[in-house]
């Protein structure tokens, strides 16, 4: 049980690391268009994020695929920016035919890239053969899922409070959060080490 808790906590705390706030920004960008009643769509997106993350982490553990940290650090803010811009560009369009296909693809890609980035840290924790890393991998992924759910619930609660008590329209809330997220990640893209030759 203690080993489970160690790896579960690693996954749980990863989302709350103040230096790795890009996960929170991404979840904000992805969930801001939705409300509690859209829980099925949110569950699909969180599941895609987790599936991509876990699959990429597993492939990396078995040395099937690896990626440089600088590339991960460059692609992640781009995917966050795409999500935020998608929200802004989708404002005013009919939500009755709301299709999550595009954002589902972006979420899956984000999960994969994030998993490959997390693999650099995870593989450094365990110097054992790949098959011995599988159980800790799934335990940390479970912690990661729980942390995602916490972030999503907090984001939905904040949206509810702001829109209900402060009477801010859903459109304005989406615009404010998406613009905020874009404003945070654009400098990350500009300052990326990928530009340094």
């Amino acid at each position: 049980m203690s080993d489970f808790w160690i790896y579960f906590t690693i996954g749980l705390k990863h989302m709350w690391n103040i230096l790795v706030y890009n996960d929170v920004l991404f979840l904000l960008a992805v969930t801001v268009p939705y409300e509690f009643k859209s829980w099925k769509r949110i569950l699909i997106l969180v599941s895609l994020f987790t599936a991509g993350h876990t699959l990429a982490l597993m492939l990396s553990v078995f040395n099937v695929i690896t990626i440089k940290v600088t590339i991960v650090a460059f692609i992640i803010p781009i995917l966050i920016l795409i999500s935020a811009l998608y929200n802004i560009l989708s404002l005013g369009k009919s939500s009755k035919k709301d299709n999550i296909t595009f954002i589902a693809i972006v979420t899956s890609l984000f999960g994969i890239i994030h998993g490959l980035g997390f693999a650099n840290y995870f593989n450094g924790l365990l110097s054992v053969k790949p098959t011995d890393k599988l159980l800790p991998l799934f335990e940390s992924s479970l912690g990661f899922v729980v942390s995602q759910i916490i972030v999503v619930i907090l984001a939905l609660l904040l949206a509810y409070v702001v829109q209900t008590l402060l009477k801010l329209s859903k459109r304005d809330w989406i615009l404010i959060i998406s613009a905020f997220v874009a404003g945070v990640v654009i400098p990350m893209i500009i300052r990326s080490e990928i530009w340094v030759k």
Side-chain angles (χ1 to χ4, degrees), residues 66-192:
T66 56
I67 190 168
K68 290 182 180 179
V69 176
T70 52
I71 295 173
V72 170
F74 179 67
I75 295 174
I76 281 180
I78 288 175
L79 292 171
I80 297 170
L81 181 61
I82 288 169
S83 301
L85 292 176
Y86 178 77
N87 291 338
I88 294 168
L89 296 173
S90 299
L91 284 174
K93 295 186 178 172
S94 174
S95 60
K96 296 196 191 293
K97 293 182 181 178
D98 188 19
N99 187 343
I100 68 166
T101 304
F102 177 79
I103 208 67
I105 291 168
V106 173
T107 302
S108 300
L109 285 173
F110 187 87
I112 291 167
I113 297 300
H114 185 277
L116 292 173
F118 184 69
N120 293 311
Y121 169 74
F122 183 80
N123 285 327
L125 287 176
L126 298 168
S127 55
V128 294
K129 59 185 180 180
T131 51
D132 292 338
K133 293 181 182 180
L134 284 177
L135 186 58
L137 183 152
F138 287 113
E139 291 166 346
S140 68
S141 290
L142 184 60
F144 189 69
V145 169
V146 171
S147 65
Q148 285 183 75
I149 291 168
I150 292 169
V151 170
V152 168
I153 289 172
L154 289 175
L156 292 172
L157 281 172
L158 180 62
Y160 178 79
V161 168
V162 169
Q163 292 175 50
T164 305
L165 299 181
L166 301 180
K167 306 295 184 192
L168 190 69
S169 71
K170 183 177 177 179
R171 181 187 184 283
D172 289 347
W173 177 247
I174 294 170
L175 185 60
I176 289 167
I177 295 300
S178 298
F180 167 76
V181 169
V184 172
V185 297
I186 287 172
M188 292 168 67
I189 296 167
I190 294 168
R191 291 192 308 261
S192 173

